[in-house]
Amino acid sequence: MVAERKLFGTDGVRGIANRYPMTSEVALALGRAAAHVLRRDQRRHAVVIGKDTRLSGYMLETALASGVCSMGVNVMLVGPLPTPGVAFITRQMRADFGVMISASHNPYRDNGIKFFDRAGYKLSDEIENEMEQAIDCGELAAIRPTAEDIGKAVRIDDAAGRYITFLKSTVPTGITFEGLKIVLDCAHGAAYRIAPAVFSELGAHVITMGVNPDGRNINQGCGSLHPESMAAVVRERGADCGCAFDGDADRIIMCDAQGHLIDGDTILALCARDMLQRGVLPQKTVVATTMSNIGLDLALQQLGIRLVRSDVGDRYVLQAMREAGCNLGGEQSGHIIFSDFNTTGDGVLGALQVVTLMCREGKPLSTLREILTPLPQIMTNVRVREKRPLADVATVTRLITQFERELGGRGRIVVRYSGTEALARVMVEGESGDRIRTIADTIAGEIATQLGE
């Protein structure tokens, strides 16, 4: 029986910086555990460590590097780089594993640590459990390399350039973005230098937002959590489209020239149709999560494309993709995985593929986005004091069952806990916006009564 997980959630370890578990002490212990668990032989190993632009990144980077070096493993520091960039550099530098320090779309006071294996894939639950157990049982205490066996840390100055070159290589030769005016909102996060460089070098006229990080303004009123700011600039400046990334740039939300927002579901539908037409969509299958809109199901059905649903989290999307033998998957929130190119959600890569599609078809995004008509969907968050299994909360399960019968086959209810915050998320879809709002509020109210702070 696997012990209860104390550190790892659905996407690494996350919390308020400088409070358990996001402390220097835990970061050091995680570095030691990863270096021990992921070591395959006695040769000198190496790890890539990247981060976003949070103030606490300096503290955690230093502690992680110290823990890794104390186990006789070398460290390659790449500085601020998107999460998918760290996955790419880990593979390209032939490192033994990679680490990203980021709390993604969370506010700057939070931070997180996620790990990649040598192939750039996020670690399995089993390996994360093994790391936790190594920390808990104290087996690492006696492992103390000395003298020349201690690891060293070096900075890799050209990591950003390597990643930029890789991103540009995903756009086919002969396609240029010249003549396009594109707004990029980088959320004062990890893409603040990467995204403008890529789009500019491909010929676009780039208008930047969120490119002045100060350690505290990441995700603050900007980026994929607040794409309305980007949409307003697109309209004001007469741009062709806009792209909003989150703090670690592993997700993308776009808008057309009129400022209409385009989420991950529509991006998935657009790219699936394009890849099907070009004969590069294996199994004619796409993976999305339980949170994706029913409109995506209907759009893909009309194209003859099968939709497979996975649990929420891009690593679960990727796992389902690998099992289904397909190369496209993602989440409504904007994590889009093109496994022909990268091993995790990549916001800049996703934006590049959509703009490439615009150029290939010679159509504006306002026309292309019509591929999907979403059903009304409501998402409500409830802060909870504990994450008791919802199946054990009888009044909540009765309400869900009652409303599911009412919605029938033209609606869905998904209630789940956030993997990174003390929140219960209630998602309801249906044909009547007013009715699903009432249903969502009723379920959320009962959760608040039973489990709320």
Side-chain angles (χ1 to χ4, degrees):
M1 184 174 178
V2 177
E4 181 183 355
R5 290 155 67 93
K6 301 175 183 177
L7 294 176
F8 287 94
T10 57
D11 196 18
V13 183
R14 193 173 295 187
I16 298 174
N18 218 24
R19 293 188 187 173
Y20 184 86
M22 272 295 100
T23 63
S24 297
E25 294 85 352
V26 171
L28 188 144
L30 284 168
R32 286 176 57 79
H36 175 67
V37 169
L38 296 172
R39 170 173 270 169
R40 297 187 305 282
D41 50 48
Q42 294 306 307
R43 65 178 174 80
R44 176 74 73 175
H45 286 56
V47 57
V48 169
I49 298 180
K51 60 182 180 179
D52 65 20
T53 57
R54 294 164 207 270
L55 184 63
S56 57
Y58 295 97
M59 172 186 76
L60 296 171
E61 176 189 56
T62 301
L64 262 169
S66 178
V68 171
C69 289
S70 76
M71 296 295 284
V73 174
N74 290 337
V75 172
M76 294 182 281
L77 300 168
V78 299
L81 197 69
T83 291
V86 172
F88 166 75
I89 294 294
T90 298
R91 294 195 311 275
Q92 199 203 44
M93 299 291 292
R94 299 189 179 185
D96 296 281
F97 63 100
V99 189
M100 179 64 183
I101 303 168
S102 173
S104 188
H105 56 280
N106 286 23
Y108 91 94
R109 71 171 192 162
D110 294 346
N111 218 325
I113 300 172
K114 60 187 94 174
F115 294 85
F116 296 95
D117 66 20
R118 64 195 305 264
Y121 293 107
K122 291 180 179 176
L123 300 185
S124 66
D125 290 339
E126 291 73 22
I127 294 178
E128 289 178 345
N129 289 337
E130 192 177 345
M131 289 170 57
E132 281 205 23
Q133 290 167 24
I135 294 171
D136 289 343
C137 73
E139 67 178 274
L140 305 180
I143 305 176
R144 299 286 177 180
T146 59
E148 71 274 7
D149 292 330
I150 295 173
K152 65 179 180 180
V154 296
R155 293 211 168 265
I156 307 299
D157 294 327
D158 65 344
R162 289 172 183 246
Y163 183 49
I164 289 169
T165 299
F166 156 72
L167 288 168
K168 289 164 58 182
S169 75
T170 69
V171 176
T173 303
I175 287 184
T176 175
F177 295 173
E178 288 182 10
L180 290 177
K181 186 186 293 186
I182 301 176
V183 174
L184 301 177
D185 184 347
C186 299
H188 300 298
Y192 78 101
R193 289 181 299 176
I194 300 290
V198 171
F199 281 86
S200 295
E201 291 178 21
L202 287 168
H205 174 194
V206 172
I207 300 167
T208 58
M209 303 171 59
V211 292
N212 298 294
D214 62 11
R216 298 176 297 278
N217 58 3
I218 188 171
N219 298 317
Q220 189 173 38
C222 58
S224 62
L225 278 186
H226 304 280
E228 61 279 358
S229 300
M230 175 244 336
V233 173
V234 167
R235 290 192 299 269
E236 291 167 7
R237 301 290 295 271
D240 294 283
C241 67
C243 309
F245 310 103
D246 65 334
D248 68 335
D250 64 353
R251 66 171 71 180
I252 173 66
I253 298 294
M254 299 184 70
C255 76
D256 64 16
Q258 287 75 48
H260 298 124
L261 295 179
I262 296 166
D263 65 12
D265 286 347
T266 301
I267 293 172
L268 274 177
L270 279 174
C271 293
R273 179 177 63 184
D274 174 64
M275 293 168 68
L276 179 68
Q277 290 172 345
R278 293 188 290 116
V280 292
L281 189 69
Q283 314 302 324
K284 296 183 179 179
T285 298
V286 171
V287 174
T289 74
T290 54
M291 306 303 284
S292 283
N293 195 280
I294 290 179
L296 178 60
D297 298 69
L298 300 176
L300 294 180
Q301 284 174 16
Q302 291 179 348
L303 294 167
I305 297 173
R306 181 171 71 112
L307 178 66
V308 174
R309 289 191 182 269
S310 74
D311 290 337
V312 174
D314 69 340
R315 69 169 171 160
Y316 299 117
V317 171
L318 182 61
Q319 179 181 329
M321 289 170 62
R322 298 173 79 177
E323 291 171 355
C326 64
N327 60 354
L328 177 63
E331 301 187 88
Q332 186 185 63
S333 61
H335 289 119
I336 310 294
I337 302 174
F338 297 87
S339 62
D340 288 341
F341 299 121
N342 210 345
T343 54
T344 187
D346 192 325
V348 181
L349 174 60
L352 288 172
Q353 301 313 300
V354 174
V355 176
T356 297
L357 195 159
M358 292 167 60
C359 295
R360 184 184 286 121
E361 297 200 12
K363 296 177 181 178
L365 199 47
S366 56
T367 299
L368 293 171
R369 74 179 183 87
E370 294 173 356
I371 188 174
L372 187 149
T373 302
L375 265 66
Q377 184 183 81
I378 295 292
M379 175 78 78
T380 300
N381 293 327
V382 183
R383 190 157 291 279
V384 295
R385 65 180 180 274
E386 61 172 325
K387 294 184 179 180
R388 195 194 320 168
L390 290 167
D392 295 344
V393 187
T395 55
V396 173
T397 57
R398 277 199 297 269
L399 280 176
I400 293 172
T401 300
Q402 171 191 328
F403 289 132
E404 282 179 335
R405 270 197 222 102
E406 175 188 332
L407 292 171
R410 296 296 297 176
R412 291 190 308 136
I413 299 173
V414 178
V415 182
R416 52 177 285 272
Y417 291 117
S418 166
T420 58
E421 300 176 83
L423 297 174
R425 303 195 192 279
V426 180
M427 187 278 285
V428 184
E429 285 176 346
E431 295 175 303
S432 167
D434 291 340
R435 183 56 184 156
I436 64 172
R437 166 57 70 186
T438 300
I439 291 172
D441 288 346
T442 302
I443 295 173
E446 186 59 29
I447 291 173
T449 299
Q450 300 295 330
L451 303 173
E453 291 184 336

